[in-house]
Amino acid sequence: MSDGRKQNGGVRAGAGRKKGSANKLTQAERKKALDRGLSPLEVMTDLMNHSYRRWKNEARKRKPNEDALMAKQKATLEAAEKLAPYLHPKLAAVQHTGKGGGPIQFLDMSKLTDEQLASIEPVIAALAAAGGLAGTDPEGEGT
C-alpha cells in the first residue's frame, strides 16, 4: 500500500499453515483416540492376522469349502491392502542425471586401446568380485 500501512490479508508467499500439517484440534483428537485403546493400524493388523489364520485353517481341511476359503482369502487381502501403505511406504522415483542435471556420460570402451583396457581390467575384476558389478561377466568372455 502506498500510504505506508502494512498489508494484511490476501495471498502472500510463505503465509499460513503449511499444507498437510495438523491443526491443534486434529492433534488433540488423534491423541484422545489413541489414548482410548487400539489404533486403527493395530485393528487392521489384528483383523488381517485373524482372517489369515482362518483361511489357512480352512485350506488344511481334507475337503475345504472353496467358497468359504475364497471369502476368507478375500477378507485377508483387503485388510492387507489397506495396511500395506502404513508398513511398506511406496518408494519415490529417483531420476539419475549427470553433471549439471544433464545426461549421464558413459565411457565408450570400444574406443580404448588394448593397453588401456589391460590397465583397467584389474579394477573392473575387483569391483565384480566385490559385487559392485552385479550381473557382469567376471571372466570378460561376454560379447
Side-chain angles (χ1 to χ4, degrees):
M1 296 185 165
S2 60
D3 63 2
R5 288 186 292 162
K6 193 175 188 179
Q7 180 182 359
N8 292 322
V11 177
R12 294 183 315 276
R17 189 167 36 96
K18 301 298 177 226
K19 189 173 185 172
S21 63
N23 61 31
K24 289 178 184 178
L25 180 61
T26 304
Q27 291 171 346
E29 288 298 318
R30 182 179 295 132
K31 182 177 178 356
K32 197 174 2 175
L34 291 174
D35 288 345
R36 285 186 196 133
L38 295 175
S39 73
L41 186 61
E42 290 171 302
V43 172
M44 284 190 290
T45 303
D46 286 348
L47 286 172
M48 181 189 69
N49 290 332
H50 176 73
S51 182
Y52 176 78
R53 284 189 301 275
R54 289 185 64 205
W55 80 255
K56 288 301 265 187
N57 287 337
E58 181 69 35
R60 287 188 190 107
K61 291 181 181 176
R62 185 175 291 264
K63 291 183 180 179
N65 177 332
E66 292 296 324
D67 291 335
L69 183 60
M70 291 300 290
K72 291 169 187 166
Q73 287 175 332
K74 183 178 179 187
T76 302
L77 180 61
E78 287 174 359
E81 285 175 338
K82 290 178 180 175
L83 186 59
Y86 296 97
L87 302 178
H88 310 287
K90 291 182 179 179
L91 299 176
V94 177
Q95 183 172 355
H96 298 280
T97 60
K99 188 175 184 179
I104 297 173
Q105 301 295 316
F106 293 95
L107 174 63
D108 183 359
M109 295 180 72
S110 67
K111 296 180 181 178
L112 296 178
T113 66
D114 288 344
E115 184 179 290
Q116 290 170 320
L117 287 170
S119 69
I120 63 170
E121 187 175 4
V123 174
I124 293 173
L127 282 171
L133 297 174
T136 59
D137 182 8
E139 302 299 320
E141 297 176 5
T143 56

